[in-house]
Amino acid sequence: DFDGEMRMAERGGVRILTLFDEAYPGVLRELYDPPLVLYVRGILPEFGQGNALGVVGSRRMSRYGEEMTALLTADAVDAGFSIISGLALGVDTVAHRTAVDKQGITVAVLGGGLARLHPQENLPLARAIIETGGAVISEFPMKFPVSRTSFPRRNRIVARLSDGVLVT
């Protein structure tokens, strides 16, 4: 339903970028299987400048893991890094929340469509990411549900947008 998809994106303030759009991140074009489109809500930072740090890791982290993720992410934001992660529970949530709290830029790459944000408890965090100058993005149609196969596809985008990756 192309028309319905376009209406839903417009109502949600979502831009749809194709490989041929100037605003499409050039670093993603270098993937062997670049996303044909990116659904973007918010503002994308300039990628490929050596200042984007992917922060990923366990969904069930220890207290120490949480403290170290917050500390290292805060230091990265203070050093001028944008934080890239997947908005999942655990490490991703801590990384995004820390970046937002420090007034840094963060980009959440989803494993499903923007209209089916997963997990739902991170909806306020997704809004905060956008409100503080970051973005929530996906290569999947607006209502696309998350699945086991969508997360590896999401992870390749997180990795390529990042100049380095911190795993906690």
Side-chain angles (χ1 to χ4, degrees):
D1 178 15
F2 179 79
D3 292 332
E5 184 79 1
M6 303 304 344
R7 281 192 304 277
M8 186 180 301
E10 186 177 331
R11 276 195 316 268
V14 175
R15 292 180 299 143
I16 301 175
L17 303 176
T18 72
L19 275 166
F20 306 105
D21 289 319
E22 190 175 313
Y24 186 95
V27 294
L28 291 181
R29 288 188 183 104
E30 299 168 4
L31 285 170
Y32 74 93
D33 63 341
L36 298 176
V37 298
L38 278 182
Y39 291 77
V40 179
R41 185 142 186 251
I43 301 167
L44 291 175
E46 187 80 24
F47 294 104
Q49 306 298 308
N51 64 344
L53 179 66
V55 181
V56 297
S58 176
R59 286 187 172 88
R60 289 186 217 103
M61 66 189 141
S62 66
R63 181 74 185 138
Y64 178 74
E66 181 177 353
E67 291 170 4
M68 289 297 99
T69 300
L71 177 70
L72 294 169
T73 301
D75 286 348
V77 169
D78 287 343
F81 282 85
S82 297
I83 303 301
I84 316 300
S85 197
L87 202 65
L89 296 176
V91 169
D92 296 12
T93 297
V94 172
H96 289 303
R97 171 57 51 207
T98 301
V100 165
D101 290 348
K102 298 281 294 174
Q103 300 299 307
I105 300 299
T106 187
V107 176
V109 184
L110 302 184
L114 294 182
R116 302 223 18 201
L117 191 105
H118 177 81
Q120 277 290 294
E121 53 259 55
N122 275 346
L123 184 58
L125 178 56
R127 287 186 182 126
I129 288 169
I130 295 161
E131 290 167 1
T132 57
V136 179
I137 69 173
S138 178
E139 71 177 307
F140 300 109
M142 293 293 291
K143 289 186 174 181
F144 191 87
V146 298
S147 70
R148 287 188 180 273
T149 60
S150 65
F151 288 112
R153 297 196 57 78
R154 175 209 56 192
N155 293 345
R156 86 189 194 294
I157 295 172
V158 170
R160 190 61 198 109
L161 293 177
S162 303
D163 297 299
V165 178
L166 169 66
V167 180
T168 59

PDB file of all heavy atoms in Angstrom, residues 6-29:
ATOM      1  N   MET A   6       3.074   6.234   2.429  1.00  0.00           N
ATOM      2  CA  MET A   6       3.501   7.629   2.293  1.00  0.00           C
ATOM      3  C   MET A   6       2.719   8.540   3.245  1.00  0.00           C
ATOM      4  O   MET A   6       3.297   9.432   3.872  1.00  0.00           O
ATOM      5  CB  MET A   6       3.329   8.132   0.858  1.00  0.00           C
ATOM      6  CG  MET A   6       4.033   7.355  -0.217  1.00  0.00           C
ATOM      7  SD  MET A   6       5.769   7.028  -0.219  1.00  0.00           S
ATOM      8  CE  MET A   6       6.734   7.875   0.725  1.00  0.00           C
ATOM      9  N   ARG A   7       1.421   8.292   3.379  1.00  0.00           N
ATOM     10  CA  ARG A   7       0.609   9.091   4.314  1.00  0.00           C
ATOM     11  C   ARG A   7       1.070   8.885   5.750  1.00  0.00           C
ATOM     12  O   ARG A   7       1.185   9.831   6.521  1.00  0.00           O
ATOM     13  CB  ARG A   7      -0.877   8.738   4.176  1.00  0.00           C
ATOM     14  CG  ARG A   7      -1.565   9.394   2.987  1.00  0.00           C
ATOM     15  CD  ARG A   7      -3.083   9.240   3.065  1.00  0.00           C
ATOM     16  NE  ARG A   7      -3.541   7.865   3.161  1.00  0.00           N
ATOM     17  CZ  ARG A   7      -3.712   7.043   2.127  1.00  0.00           C
ATOM     18  NH1 ARG A   7      -3.492   7.473   0.897  1.00  0.00           N
ATOM     19  NH2 ARG A   7      -4.139   5.808   2.311  1.00  0.00           N
ATOM     20  N   MET A   8       1.324   7.635   6.106  1.00  0.00           N
ATOM     21  CA  MET A   8       1.761   7.327   7.464  1.00  0.00           C
ATOM     22  C   MET A   8       3.111   7.990   7.759  1.00  0.00           C
ATOM     23  O   MET A   8       3.312   8.565   8.837  1.00  0.00           O
ATOM     24  CB  MET A   8       1.869   5.819   7.668  1.00  0.00           C
ATOM     25  CG  MET A   8       2.182   5.435   9.097  1.00  0.00           C
ATOM     26  SD  MET A   8       2.315   3.665   9.338  1.00  0.00           S
ATOM     27  CE  MET A   8       0.699   3.143   8.816  1.00  0.00           C
ATOM     28  N   ALA A   9       4.020   7.925   6.821  1.00  0.00           N
ATOM     29  CA  ALA A   9       5.328   8.566   7.000  1.00  0.00           C
ATOM     30  C   ALA A   9       5.167  10.076   7.149  1.00  0.00           C
ATOM     31  O   ALA A   9       5.773  10.682   8.043  1.00  0.00           O
ATOM     32  CB  ALA A   9       6.242   8.237   5.818  1.00  0.00           C
ATOM     33  N   GLU A  10       4.335  10.667   6.324  1.00  0.00           N
ATOM     34  CA  GLU A  10       4.127  12.116   6.397  1.00  0.00           C
ATOM     35  C   GLU A  10       3.517  12.517   7.738  1.00  0.00           C
ATOM     36  O   GLU A  10       3.972  13.465   8.376  1.00  0.00           O
ATOM     37  CB  GLU A  10       3.238  12.579   5.248  1.00  0.00           C
ATOM     38  CG  GLU A  10       3.107  14.087   5.176  1.00  0.00           C
ATOM     39  CD  GLU A  10       2.280  14.533   3.985  1.00  0.00           C
ATOM     40  OE1 GLU A  10       2.253  13.830   2.955  1.00  0.00           O
ATOM     41  OE2 GLU A  10       1.648  15.592   4.100  1.00  0.00           O
ATOM     42  N   ARG A  11       2.501  11.788   8.176  1.00  0.00           N
ATOM     43  CA  ARG A  11       1.873  12.082   9.472  1.00  0.00           C
ATOM     44  C   ARG A  11       2.859  11.955  10.625  1.00  0.00           C
ATOM     45  O   ARG A  11       2.780  12.684  11.608  1.00  0.00           O
ATOM     46  CB  ARG A  11       0.692  11.136   9.726  1.00  0.00           C
ATOM     47  CG  ARG A  11      -0.595  11.577   9.101  1.00  0.00           C
ATOM     48  CD  ARG A  11      -1.798  10.818   9.672  1.00  0.00           C
ATOM     49  NE  ARG A  11      -1.618   9.387   9.824  1.00  0.00           N
ATOM     50  CZ  ARG A  11      -1.935   8.462   8.932  1.00  0.00           C
ATOM     51  NH1 ARG A  11      -2.478   8.811   7.785  1.00  0.00           N
ATOM     52  NH2 ARG A  11      -1.734   7.184   9.171  1.00  0.00           N
ATOM     53  N   GLY A  12       3.799  11.025  10.508  1.00  0.00           N
ATOM     54  CA  GLY A  12       4.774  10.795  11.572  1.00  0.00           C
ATOM     55  C   GLY A  12       6.012  11.659  11.472  1.00  0.00           C
ATOM     56  O   GLY A  12       6.937  11.506  12.275  1.00  0.00           O
ATOM     57  N   GLY A  13       6.060  12.554  10.488  1.00  0.00           N
ATOM     58  CA  GLY A  13       7.240  13.401  10.329  1.00  0.00           C
ATOM     59  C   GLY A  13       8.463  12.624   9.893  1.00  0.00           C
ATOM     60  O   GLY A  13       9.598  12.957  10.247  1.00  0.00           O
ATOM     61  N   VAL A  14       8.247  11.583   9.103  1.00  0.00           N
ATOM     62  CA  VAL A  14       9.317  10.689   8.671  1.00  0.00           C
ATOM     63  C   VAL A  14       9.710  11.016   7.228  1.00  0.00           C
ATOM     64  O   VAL A  14       8.858  11.088   6.350  1.00  0.00           O
ATOM     65  CB  VAL A  14       8.857   9.209   8.766  1.00  0.00           C
ATOM     66  CG1 VAL A  14       9.911   8.272   8.201  1.00  0.00           C
ATOM     67  CG2 VAL A  14       8.520   8.855  10.204  1.00  0.00           C
ATOM     68  N   ARG A  15      11.012  11.213   7.024  1.00  0.00           N
ATOM     69  CA  ARG A  15      11.544  11.370   5.665  1.00  0.00           C
ATOM     70  C   ARG A  15      11.960   9.994   5.158  1.00  0.00           C
ATOM     71  O   ARG A  15      12.492   9.188   5.913  1.00  0.00           O
ATOM     72  CB  ARG A  15      12.784  12.273   5.644  1.00  0.00           C
ATOM     73  CG  ARG A  15      12.512  13.700   5.967  1.00  0.00           C
ATOM     74  CD  ARG A  15      13.785  14.536   5.941  1.00  0.00           C
ATOM     75  NE  ARG A  15      14.721  14.033   6.942  1.00  0.00           N
ATOM     76  CZ  ARG A  15      16.040  13.981   6.802  1.00  0.00           C
ATOM     77  NH1 ARG A  15      16.615  14.418   5.713  1.00  0.00           N
ATOM     78  NH2 ARG A  15      16.808  13.507   7.760  1.00  0.00           N
ATOM     79  N   ILE A  16      11.722   9.759   3.887  1.00  0.00           N
ATOM     80  CA  ILE A  16      12.145   8.505   3.279  1.00  0.00           C
ATOM     81  C   ILE A  16      13.241   8.844   2.281  1.00  0.00           C
ATOM     82  O   ILE A  16      13.014   9.550   1.296  1.00  0.00           O
ATOM     83  CB  ILE A  16      10.976   7.782   2.589  1.00  0.00           C
ATOM     84  CG1 ILE A  16       9.886   7.489   3.617  1.00  0.00           C
ATOM     85  CG2 ILE A  16      11.470   6.492   1.935  1.00  0.00           C
ATOM     86  CD1 ILE A  16       8.616   6.889   3.029  1.00  0.00           C
ATOM     87  N   LEU A  17      14.459   8.364   2.572  1.00  0.00           N
ATOM     88  CA  LEU A  17      15.607   8.629   1.716  1.00  0.00           C
ATOM     89  C   LEU A  17      15.930   7.387   0.901  1.00  0.00           C
ATOM     90  O   LEU A  17      15.931   6.270   1.438  1.00  0.00           O
ATOM     91  CB  LEU A  17      16.833   8.986   2.565  1.00  0.00           C
ATOM     92  CG  LEU A  17      16.701  10.162   3.526  1.00  0.00           C
ATOM     93  CD1 LEU A  17      17.976  10.304   4.347  1.00  0.00           C
ATOM     94  CD2 LEU A  17      16.397  11.433   2.769  1.00  0.00           C
ATOM     95  N   THR A  18      16.231   7.581  -0.363  1.00  0.00           N
ATOM     96  CA  THR A  18      16.679   6.470  -1.200  1.00  0.00           C
ATOM     97  C   THR A  18      18.179   6.582  -1.420  1.00  0.00           C
ATOM     98  O   THR A  18      18.791   7.607  -1.113  1.00  0.00           O
ATOM     99  CB  THR A  18      15.983   6.469  -2.575  1.00  0.00           C
ATOM    100  OG1 THR A  18      16.493   7.548  -3.353  1.00  0.00           O
ATOM    101  CG2 THR A  18      14.468   6.583  -2.433  1.00  0.00           C
ATOM    102  N   LEU A  19      18.741   5.531  -1.969  1.00  0.00           N
ATOM    103  CA  LEU A  19      20.162   5.517  -2.306  1.00  0.00           C
ATOM    104  C   LEU A  19      20.567   6.712  -3.160  1.00  0.00           C
ATOM    105  O   LEU A  19      21.725   7.112  -3.181  1.00  0.00           O
ATOM    106  CB  LEU A  19      20.485   4.242  -3.097  1.00  0.00           C
ATOM    107  CG  LEU A  19      20.783   2.981  -2.315  1.00  0.00           C
ATOM    108  CD1 LEU A  19      20.743   1.775  -3.240  1.00  0.00           C
ATOM    109  CD2 LEU A  19      22.117   3.087  -1.638  1.00  0.00           C
ATOM    110  N   PHE A  20      19.622   7.279  -3.874  1.00  0.00           N
ATOM    111  CA  PHE A  20      19.933   8.349  -4.822  1.00  0.00           C
ATOM    112  C   PHE A  20      19.759   9.745  -4.239  1.00  0.00           C
ATOM    113  O   PHE A  20      20.056  10.726  -4.902  1.00  0.00           O
ATOM    114  CB  PHE A  20      19.073   8.180  -6.079  1.00  0.00           C
ATOM    115  CG  PHE A  20      19.222   6.813  -6.679  1.00  0.00           C
ATOM    116  CD1 PHE A  20      18.219   5.870  -6.546  1.00  0.00           C
ATOM    117  CD2 PHE A  20      20.392   6.446  -7.337  1.00  0.00           C
ATOM    118  CE1 PHE A  20      18.357   4.597  -7.066  1.00  0.00           C
ATOM    119  CE2 PHE A  20      20.553   5.174  -7.860  1.00  0.00           C
ATOM    120  CZ  PHE A  20      19.527   4.247  -7.727  1.00  0.00           C
ATOM    121  N   ASP A  21      19.288   9.827  -2.992  1.00  0.00           N
ATOM    122  CA  ASP A  21      19.116  11.130  -2.350  1.00  0.00           C
ATOM    123  C   ASP A  21      20.442  11.633  -1.795  1.00  0.00           C
ATOM    124  O   ASP A  21      21.223  10.859  -1.230  1.00  0.00           O
ATOM    125  CB  ASP A  21      18.093  11.043  -1.212  1.00  0.00           C
ATOM    126  CG  ASP A  21      16.678  10.869  -1.704  1.00  0.00           C
ATOM    127  OD1 ASP A  21      16.311  11.522  -2.687  1.00  0.00           O
ATOM    128  OD2 ASP A  21      15.932  10.067  -1.096  1.00  0.00           O
ATOM    129  N   GLU A  22      20.666  12.910  -1.912  1.00  0.00           N
ATOM    130  CA  GLU A  22      21.900  13.520  -1.414  1.00  0.00           C
ATOM    131  C   GLU A  22      22.037  13.346   0.099  1.00  0.00           C
ATOM    132  O   GLU A  22      23.141  13.188   0.619  1.00  0.00           O
ATOM    133  CB  GLU A  22      21.929  15.007  -1.777  1.00  0.00           C
ATOM    134  CG  GLU A  22      23.250  15.665  -1.513  1.00  0.00           C
ATOM    135  CD  GLU A  22      23.273  17.097  -1.994  1.00  0.00           C
ATOM    136  OE1 GLU A  22      22.848  17.363  -3.139  1.00  0.00           O
ATOM    137  OE2 GLU A  22      23.719  17.954  -1.210  1.00  0.00           O
ATOM    138  N   ALA A  23      20.922  13.352   0.820  1.00  0.00           N
ATOM    139  CA  ALA A  23      20.952  13.238   2.282  1.00  0.00           C
ATOM    140  C   ALA A  23      21.178  11.801   2.766  1.00  0.00           C
ATOM    141  O   ALA A  23      21.405  11.579   3.954  1.00  0.00           O
ATOM    142  CB  ALA A  23      19.651  13.782   2.871  1.00  0.00           C
ATOM    143  N   TYR A  24      21.121  10.815   1.869  1.00  0.00           N
ATOM    144  CA  TYR A  24      21.366   9.419   2.232  1.00  0.00           C
ATOM    145  C   TYR A  24      22.825   9.298   2.686  1.00  0.00           C
ATOM    146  O   TYR A  24      23.736   9.775   1.996  1.00  0.00           O
ATOM    147  CB  TYR A  24      21.109   8.524   1.012  1.00  0.00           C
ATOM    148  CG  TYR A  24      21.188   7.049   1.260  1.00  0.00           C
ATOM    149  CD1 TYR A  24      20.048   6.309   1.532  1.00  0.00           C
ATOM    150  CD2 TYR A  24      22.398   6.372   1.202  1.00  0.00           C
ATOM    151  CE1 TYR A  24      20.108   4.935   1.734  1.00  0.00           C
ATOM    152  CE2 TYR A  24      22.475   5.007   1.407  1.00  0.00           C
ATOM    153  CZ  TYR A  24      21.330   4.285   1.679  1.00  0.00           C
ATOM    154  OH  TYR A  24      21.399   2.931   1.891  1.00  0.00           O
ATOM    155  N   PRO A  25      23.084   8.680   3.849  1.00  0.00           N
ATOM    156  CA  PRO A  25      24.465   8.580   4.337  1.00  0.00           C
ATOM    157  C   PRO A  25      25.380   7.839   3.358  1.00  0.00           C
ATOM    158  O   PRO A  25      25.157   6.664   3.042  1.00  0.00           O
ATOM    159  CB  PRO A  25      24.326   7.809   5.653  1.00  0.00           C
ATOM    160  CG  PRO A  25      22.905   8.000   6.065  1.00  0.00           C
ATOM    161  CD  PRO A  25      22.115   8.111   4.787  1.00  0.00           C
ATOM    162  N   GLY A  26      26.403   8.524   2.907  1.00  0.00           N
ATOM    163  CA  GLY A  26      27.331   7.951   1.934  1.00  0.00           C
ATOM    164  C   GLY A  26      28.004   6.684   2.424  1.00  0.00           C
ATOM    165  O   GLY A  26      28.273   5.778   1.624  1.00  0.00           O
ATOM    166  N   VAL A  27      28.270   6.578   3.727  1.00  0.00           N
ATOM    167  CA  VAL A  27      28.936   5.375   4.241  1.00  0.00           C
ATOM    168  C   VAL A  27      28.078   4.128   4.049  1.00  0.00           C
ATOM    169  O   VAL A  27      28.614   3.033   3.900  1.00  0.00           O
ATOM    170  CB  VAL A  27      29.341   5.532   5.732  1.00  0.00           C
ATOM    171  CG1 VAL A  27      30.403   6.608   5.904  1.00  0.00           C
ATOM    172  CG2 VAL A  27      28.146   5.785   6.629  1.00  0.00           C
ATOM    173  N   LEU A  28      26.759   4.292   4.012  1.00  0.00           N
ATOM    174  CA  LEU A  28      25.895   3.124   3.801  1.00  0.00           C
ATOM    175  C   LEU A  28      25.938   2.648   2.350  1.00  0.00           C
ATOM    176  O   LEU A  28      25.712   1.463   2.086  1.00  0.00           O
ATOM    177  CB  LEU A  28      24.452   3.428   4.218  1.00  0.00           C
ATOM    178  CG  LEU A  28      24.219   3.609   5.708  1.00  0.00           C
ATOM    179  CD1 LEU A  28      22.749   3.885   5.978  1.00  0.00           C
ATOM    180  CD2 LEU A  28      24.693   2.405   6.505  1.00  0.00           C
ATOM    181  N   ARG A  29      26.229   3.555   1.437  1.00  0.00           N
ATOM    182  CA  ARG A  29      26.349   3.146   0.029  1.00  0.00           C
ATOM    183  C   ARG A  29      27.501   2.160  -0.165  1.00  0.00           C
ATOM    184  O   ARG A  29      27.521   1.417  -1.138  1.00  0.00           O
ATOM    185  CB  ARG A  29      26.577   4.367  -0.863  1.00  0.00           C
ATOM    186  CG  ARG A  29      25.376   5.234  -1.037  1.00  0.00           C
ATOM    187  CD  ARG A  29      25.633   6.322  -2.096  1.00  0.00           C
ATOM    188  NE  ARG A  29      24.482   7.182  -2.203  1.00  0.00           N
ATOM    189  CZ  ARG A  29      24.398   8.401  -1.693  1.00  0.00           C
ATOM    190  NH1 ARG A  29      25.427   8.926  -1.059  1.00  0.00           N
ATOM    191  NH2 ARG A  29      23.297   9.105  -1.833  1.00  0.00           N
TER     192      ARG A  29
END
